[in-house]
C-alpha cells in the first residue's frame, strides 16, 4: 500500500474533462462492485446485475427478467415499485448479495442468476426497505434498512428516525443499532474499528465503534453535523489514506471527508433552484413527487455511490439512480481494498 506524507486530496481538483464513462443503456446502476481483473458489476433495475468487462462489453444477469422499470408509466412508479436491486456485495464464494429495495429482502444470487432469499423478516416483523449490504473480514453480513415505511418517499421527513443497521449470522438477522434518519450505505474503516453509517435524511455521517464481541457502541457524528444545503448523503467509500468519499443523491454532489472530518466538495452537478425547493419541502415534511423527481442532473443524475477499482484501485466509479452509464476518473490516492479484493 502506498505511503503518503500529506493527504493527497488537499491538492486534488476534479474537472469534467477528467471524467470518462463506461457502460451503456444501464438501468438504475445504483451500486457498483469492482474486481481486480477489471470487471464491474452494476445493480440493474431489470432484476439483477450488469456485468461489464474491461473492454466495455456487457452481459445482463437477471434473477427473473423484468422490463417493469423501463415500461413504467411514471417516475414515481419506476422508483417506488417493482424489483430494484440496490446495494451489492460479494459473498465469500463469489456469489452476489443483493439488497433489494423493491422486494424488501436480502437476496443471494450466483453469477449465473440462481437466487435464494436470505431474509425478508427480522425478529418476527417485516424487514423494511433493505438498502445496502456489506461483508466484513469475519464473513459477517451487515445490512441497512432505510425505513419501515413501505413507500420510501413518505419517509423523506426531517423528524423520522426509523432506519436501522442489522447483522446476519447463523441464518438470522439481529438489529444492532437503530434510530437513524433513512439509513443508507455503511463502510468499515481499515482496521474495522468503526462502522460509518450514512443518514440520508439526517444529512450526516454517523459512526459507531465495533467492540470485540461485535456490538456497536459510542455513536457520534463524523465530520459536519450537516453536509451542506440540500445534503442527502447516499454512498461512501474509504481510500487508502483514510479519506471518506461520498455522494449526495438529490443535489448531485461528490465530496470527501478527511480523517479529521473536514469536507471538500469535488463535484457539484445539482440544480440550485430545484435543490432549494426540495430542501424547503423536506423541512416542511411535504416532499411531493413533482418536487423530488424534478431533481437529478449532470454526469450521474441522482448520484448514489462511489467505488474504487482498476488494477491499482485508483479509478473512481460513480453509481447513480437515473444514469445510463458509469462515469469514472483517476484518484490521487488508491481506494481501501474491500474484503473480496484478492490479487
Amino acid at each position: 500500500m502506498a505511503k503518503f506524507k500529506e493527504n493527497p486530496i488537499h491538492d486534488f481538483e476534479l474537472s469534467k474533462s477528467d471524467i470518462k464513462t463506461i457502460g451503456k443503456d444501464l438501468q438504475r446502476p445504483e451500486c457498483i462492485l469492482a474486481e481486480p481483473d477489471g470487471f464491474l458489476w452494476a445493480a440493474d433495475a431489470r432484476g439483477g446485475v450488469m456485468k461489464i468487462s474491461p473492454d466495455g462489453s456487457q452481459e445482463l444477469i437477471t434473477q427473473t427478467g423484468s422490463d417493469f422499470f423501463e415500461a413504467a408509466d411514471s417516475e414515481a412508479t419506476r422508483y417506488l415499485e417493482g424489483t430494484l436491486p440496490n446495494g451489492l456485495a460479494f459473498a465469500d464464494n463469489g456469489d452476489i448479495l443483493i439488497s433489494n429495495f423493491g422486494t424488501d429482502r436480502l437476496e443471494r444470487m450466483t453469477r449465473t442468476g440462481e437466487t435464494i432469499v436470505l431474509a425478508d423478516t427480522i425478529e418476527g416483523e417485516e424487514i423494511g426497505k433493505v438498502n445496502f449490504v456489506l461483508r466484513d473480514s469475519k464473513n459477517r453480513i451487515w445490512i441497512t434498512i432505510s425505513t419501515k415505511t413501505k413507500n420510501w418517499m413518505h419517509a423523506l421527513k426531517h423528524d423520522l428516525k426509523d432506519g436501522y443497521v442489522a447483522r446476519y449470522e447463523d441464518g438470522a438477522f439481529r438489529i444492532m443499532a437503530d434510530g437513524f434518519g433513512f439509513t443508507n450505505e455503511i463502510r468499515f474503516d481499515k482496521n474495522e474499528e468503526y462502522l460509518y453509517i450514512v443518514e440520508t435524511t439526517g444529512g450526516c455521517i454517523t459512526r459507531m465503534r465495533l467492540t470485540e464481541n461485535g456490538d456497536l457502541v459510542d455513536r457520534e457524528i463524523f465530520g459536519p453535523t450537516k453536509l451542506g444545503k440540500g445534503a442527502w448523503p447516499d454512498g461512501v467509500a474509504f481510500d487508502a489514506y483514510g479519506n471518506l468519499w461520498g455522494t449526495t443523491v438529490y443535489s448531485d454532489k461528490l465530496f470527501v471527508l478527511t480523517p479529521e472530518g473536514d469536507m471538500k466538495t469535488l463535484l457539484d452537478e445539482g440544480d440550485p433552484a430545484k435543490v432549494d425547493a426540495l430542501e424547503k419541502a423536506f423541512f416542511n415534511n411535504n416532499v411531493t413527487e413533482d418536487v423530488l423527481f424534478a431533481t437529478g442532473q449532470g454526469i450521474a443524475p441522482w448520484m448514489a455511490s462511489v467505488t474504487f477499482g482498476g488494477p491499482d484501485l485508483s479509478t473512481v466509479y460513480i453509481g447513480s439512480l437515473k444514469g445510463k452509464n458509469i462515469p469514472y476518473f483517476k484518484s490521487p490516492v488508491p481506494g481501501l481494498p474491500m474484503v473480496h479484493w484478492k490479487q
Side-chain angles (χ1 to χ4, degrees), residues 6-277:
E6 298 182 357
N7 192 340
I9 205 66
H10 289 320
D11 296 324
F12 179 63
E13 301 294 335
L14 180 64
S15 68
K16 295 285 284 290
S17 61
D18 298 325
I19 301 172
K20 300 177 182 179
T21 63
I22 189 171
K24 62 181 180 179
D25 301 324
L26 306 180
Q27 292 187 16
R28 201 179 178 276
E30 199 274 351
C31 184
I32 302 159
L33 294 178
E35 293 186 289
D37 59 8
F39 281 90
L40 301 177
W41 303 74
D44 195 282
R46 283 162 286 205
V49 297
M50 183 69 80
K51 179 182 179 181
I52 306 174
S53 69
D55 65 8
S57 59
Q58 301 180 173
E59 178 188 2
L60 180 64
I61 302 170
T62 60
Q63 302 156 308
T64 302
S66 172
D67 62 358
F68 180 90
F69 185 85
E70 186 175 25
D73 57 7
S74 71
E75 289 289 277
T77 300
R78 180 172 290 118
Y79 289 93
L80 295 173
E81 301 177 20
T83 178
L84 296 172
N86 209 68
L88 308 175
F90 285 122
D92 55 353
N93 69 344
D95 286 352
I96 301 170
L97 301 170
I98 298 175
S99 49
N100 198 312
F101 204 65
T103 59
D104 300 342
R105 60 194 191 187
L106 179 66
E107 302 158 345
R108 180 172 181 151
M109 185 183 80
T110 69
R111 297 191 178 202
T112 53
E114 293 78 18
T115 303
I116 60 172
V117 177
L118 291 182
D120 57 7
T121 61
I122 188 165
E123 299 180 359
E125 298 182 0
E126 291 186 359
I127 199 167
K129 305 307 294 185
V130 185
N131 188 302
F132 193 68
V133 57
L134 180 71
R135 184 168 62 91
D136 68 17
S137 64
K138 294 183 179 180
N139 204 33
R140 295 175 297 199
I141 298 172
W142 301 77
I143 64 167
T144 62
I145 306 299
S146 294
T147 177
K148 296 177 182 177
T149 304
K150 184 69 175 178
N151 183 329
W152 61 264
M153 201 184 78
H154 296 162
L156 300 183
K157 299 177 179 179
H158 68 87
D159 55 357
L160 180 62
K161 308 288 184 182
D162 67 341
Y164 61 92
V165 176
R167 192 170 68 218
Y168 182 81
E169 287 183 278
D170 301 322
F173 273 112
R174 180 163 67 99
I175 296 174
M176 305 304 297
D178 58 12
F180 300 103
F182 209 91
T183 334
N184 214 302
E185 289 199 6
I186 50 176
R187 299 288 182 185
F188 282 106
D189 57 15
K190 181 179 180 180
N191 297 320
E192 293 187 351
E193 181 181 4
Y194 285 94
L195 181 67
Y196 289 71
I197 305 161
V198 175
E199 296 194 60
T200 298
T201 56
C204 64
I205 310 294
T206 292
R207 72 176 184 179
M208 299 185 72
R209 185 170 59 84
L210 183 66
T211 66
E212 288 187 7
N213 65 1
D215 292 332
L216 294 174
V217 298
D218 300 338
R219 178 173 173 171
E220 62 182 358
I221 291 178
F222 174 72
T225 56
K226 178 74 172 178
L227 296 169
K229 185 176 182 179
W232 299 82
D234 193 320
V236 288
F238 275 105
D239 67 25
Y241 187 86
N243 298 304
L244 185 64
W245 296 57
T247 64
T248 60
V249 58
Y250 306 124
S251 49
D252 292 310
K253 291 184 177 68
L254 178 68
F255 67 90
V256 177
L257 296 178
T258 68
E260 296 75 31
D262 298 324
M263 180 178 179
K264 179 176 182 176
T265 300
L266 296 178
L267 194 64
D268 185 349
E269 296 273 275
D271 182 310
K274 293 176 180 178
V275 170
D276 185 60

